[in-house]
Amino acid sequence: MRRLYYGILISLFALIFVGCGRQVAGDEKIARQYVEEQGYDVDFQLGEVYSYTLDKSKLFGSTESLPFQQAWGVQQAEPDLYFGKKVIIYGFTVSDHPLDEIYHAKTNVYVMLSEGKVIGGYSFPDVEGMAGSYYSVDGKTLEEVTGLSYSEWSEKWGKKYGDS
């Protein structure tokens, strides 16, 4: 009877241990590899945080477009290449990121994928209630990425993605 009890107990612990370990596969695995290739240690996986089909209306013209503008503003890739395509975003809390020292906190890195390929990403300090602009994956501001002031970039962005 005692053997049965211990056998059940060991089996239960094994099931709990195996069940709690989340498997990472597919796009999320590609995103994690990208984060690690950038030199960051992944402390926590946030999983898929958002997905959308990109179209021009997401990039300009409303307050709802502001997060998309900020995210795409710090990319090397032009958003036009992904119009009509699904974009999936995976999040990771990382260490050893340049923003860690500035904000004295961990940093969240968000990786954007389309059709199974990394198309870019952005980072943001992992500080509750923090408001502000997005940074590139490597912690650069929009001004550093584009070489333009915010007002210059905003004017150019509006001409390209606005209704005119």
Side-chain angles (χ1 to χ4, degrees), residues 18 35 42 56 61 65 69 76 105 135 138 141 152 159 163:
V18 171
V35 170
V42 174
K56 195 174 178 182
S65 69
Q69 288 178 37
Q76 296 299 320
Y135 294 87
D138 59 353
T141 64
E152 291 170 327
K159 286 179 181 174
D163 291 332

Side-chain angles (χ1 to χ4, degrees), residues 42-95:
V42 174
D43 295 333
F44 187 74
Q45 293 188 187
L46 304 170
E48 182 180 325
V49 295
Y50 195 66
S51 68
Y52 60 93
T53 300
L54 184 61
D55 60 53
K56 195 174 178 182
S57 70
K58 287 202 177 356
L59 299 176
F60 194 81
S62 68
T63 54
E64 290 82 21
S65 69
L66 190 57
F68 298 101
Q69 288 178 37
Q70 290 184 356
W72 281 98
V74 294
Q75 304 310 310
Q76 296 299 320
E78 291 290 325
D80 313 53
L81 301 172
Y82 300 96
F83 284 164
K85 295 183 180 179
K86 184 175 182 181
V87 176
I88 303 170
I89 302 169
Y90 291 93
F92 303 88
T93 302
V94 302
S95 341

Side-chain angles (χ1 to χ4, degrees), residues 5-39:
Y5 173 76
Y6 286 122
I8 291 172
L9 192 59
I10 290 170
S11 297
L12 186 60
F13 280 123
L15 278 173
I16 290 170
F17 183 73
V18 171
C20 290
R22 191 164 80 79
Q23 294 294 322
V24 180
D27 283 352
E28 188 171 13
K29 185 175 184 178
I30 293 167
R32 182 183 175 121
Q33 287 173 336
Y34 174 77
V35 170
E36 291 171 342
E37 287 168 4
Q38 304 310 302

